[in-house]
């Protein structure tokens, strides 16, 4: 397994000090949490981790926009994408384009944005600090998500997703003061970043394989717990357009439960199910 993950002369990219400063600052602010702890702030953090993580990123950015594994009315799709953008993981065109490239080039260390073949830390976070312009320059990456790039709303959201942190911060301050701001914005952002990044890193290293895919993807239970079902990564790489990530009864997948509820209510249509 280790031999498969070793890169073969991967391209080196310059360090982006702006990204280093940004992520370091958010992590540093999250360290203030012990001095402003409250149970209500912790509860708000857990709620926003679920809302932005499961609904915004996993259901919205990933299963709905990246893979089109189901359909919802356009107004609801926009609302879910807005929640995903507030998670502070990039705009929808950026996120979707990078993820589609990850699936298309899992064996190419240069064309896969967060290739696990370059090692744990590269796939976990260093790909952000040493950016390849093909994945971070809009004019280059937008061609990998043409369906979103043609939509005015997604173009606006892709440019302005950072502005969503302003109303979020004001709302949290109004609800609970600086305690809610520190916990609901910075602690939540750090926890959700690393939860999401674990799917890029650990689920290509550890866990069991139900399907014999060529990308070393794995099913890892604790990653699934942290990411609301995304940790069943081998299932997903074998059938990326399927709306369910957890196929067996015990493969915990609460993001699928939300999709199932939308389907039962007649809101979600054309839900792609696992092949029989």
């Amino acid at each position: 397994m280790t031999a498969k993950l070793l890169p073969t002369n991967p391209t080196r990219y310059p360090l982006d000090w702006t990204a280093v400063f940004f992520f370091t600052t958010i992590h540093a602010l999250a360290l203030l949490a012990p001095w402003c702890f409250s149970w209500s702030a912790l509860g708000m953090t857990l709620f926003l981790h679920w809302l932005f993580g499961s609904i915004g990123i996993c259901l919205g950015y990933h299963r709905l926009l990246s893979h089109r594994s189901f359909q919802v009315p356009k107004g609801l799709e926009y609302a879910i994408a807005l929640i995903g953008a507030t998670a502070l993981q990039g705009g929808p065109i950026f996120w979707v384009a990078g993820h589609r490239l990850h699936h298309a080039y899992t064996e190419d260390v240069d064309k896969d944005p967060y290739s696990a073949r370059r090692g744990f830390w590269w796939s976990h976070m260093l790909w952000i600090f040493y950016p390849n312009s093909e994945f971070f320059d809009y004019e280059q990456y937008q061609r990998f998500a043409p369906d979103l790039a043609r939509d005015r709303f997604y173009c606006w959201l892709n440019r302005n997703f950072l502005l969503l942190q302003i109303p979020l911060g004001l709302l949290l301050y109004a609800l609970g003061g600086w305690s809610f701001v520190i916990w609901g914005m910075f602690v939540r952002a750090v926890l959700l970043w690393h939860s999401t990044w674990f799917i890029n890193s650990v689920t290509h290293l550890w866990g069991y394989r139900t399907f014999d895919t060529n990308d070393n993807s794995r099913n890892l239970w604790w990653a699934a717990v942290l990411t609301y079902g995304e940790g069943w990564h081998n299932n997903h790489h074998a059938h990326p357009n399927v709306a369910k990530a957890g196929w067996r009864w015990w493969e915990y997948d609460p993001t699928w439960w939300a999709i199932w509820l939308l389907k039962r209510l007649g809101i979600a249509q054309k839900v792609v199910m696992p092949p029989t």
Side-chain angles (χ1 to χ4, degrees), residues 6-275:
L6 291 177
T8 303
N9 298 321
T11 304
R12 295 179 178 272
Y13 306 102
L15 180 64
D16 184 346
W17 286 104
T18 301
V20 172
F21 175 77
F22 175 79
F23 284 95
T24 301
T25 300
I26 300 300
H27 279 74
L29 290 171
L31 294 176
L32 298 174
W35 286 272
C36 56
F37 173 80
S38 70
W39 289 107
S40 57
L42 176 60
M44 178 61 72
T45 301
L46 295 176
F47 169 73
L48 292 180
H49 189 282
W50 166 79
L51 179 65
F52 296 155
S54 182
I55 304 302
I57 298 297
C58 302
L59 185 151
Y61 270 20
H62 187 206
R63 305 190 197 187
L64 176 59
L65 297 184
S66 296
H67 296 292
R68 296 297 183 183
S69 61
F70 65 99
Q71 294 180 6
V72 294
K74 186 60 71 172
L76 179 57
E77 178 182 308
Y78 286 164
I80 293 171
L82 197 66
I83 295 171
T86 313
L88 205 58
Q89 295 194 10
I93 302 176
F94 163 79
W95 203 102
V96 169
H99 189 72
R100 289 176 179 174
L101 279 166
H102 170 65
H103 277 274
Y105 299 104
T106 51
E107 293 190 272
D108 191 317
V109 296
D110 288 324
K111 292 185 178 181
D112 179 352
Y114 26 85
S115 174
R117 296 175 186 274
R118 296 185 72 148
F120 172 86
W121 286 111
W122 177 268
S123 58
H124 192 73
M125 61 192 299
L126 289 183
W127 68 278
I128 301 172
F129 298 149
Y130 294 90
N132 178 349
S133 61
E134 185 176 0
F135 314 136
F136 287 84
D137 178 70
Y138 177 79
E139 293 304 320
Q140 296 192 61
Y141 70 68
Q142 58 88 23
R143 67 184 189 274
F144 299 108
D147 51 330
L148 302 188
R150 289 191 296 265
D151 190 302
R152 286 188 175 184
F153 175 76
Y154 287 126
C155 290
W156 176 86
L157 191 58
N158 201 69
R159 292 191 303 269
N160 300 291
F161 72 95
L162 283 173
L163 297 179
L164 298 176
Q165 300 305 303
I166 297 174
L168 174 63
L170 292 174
L171 176 62
L172 288 172
Y173 184 79
L175 291 174
W178 286 111
S179 176
F180 270 41
V181 173
I182 296 297
W183 280 86
M185 290 189 68
F186 304 118
V187 174
R188 183 268 312 159
V190 169
L191 292 176
L192 188 53
W193 281 340
H194 288 280
S195 298
T196 304
W197 297 343
F198 275 141
I199 303 305
N200 302 335
S201 55
V202 299
T203 58
H204 285 270
L205 290 172
W206 305 308
Y208 64 90
R209 289 167 57 81
T210 302
F211 299 97
D212 186 20
T213 59
N214 61 3
D215 48 41
N216 206 48
S217 56
R218 308 263 164 171
N219 292 325
L220 189 59
W221 70 268
W222 61 263
V225 171
L226 293 177
T227 58
Y228 307 99
E230 299 293 86
W232 312 116
H233 205 49
N234 178 245
N235 296 348
H236 175 61
H237 267 270
H239 297 276
N241 295 329
V242 169
K244 293 181 70 174
W247 289 24
R248 297 170 178 169
W249 68 267
W250 47 266
E251 290 179 335
Y252 173 82
D253 187 5
T255 299
W256 161 249
W257 304 342
I259 298 171
W260 176 87
L261 179 60
L262 291 174
K263 181 182 179 182
R264 291 285 293 179
L265 294 174
I267 298 172
Q269 304 291 331
K270 297 183 179 180
V271 180
V272 181
M273 299 299 293

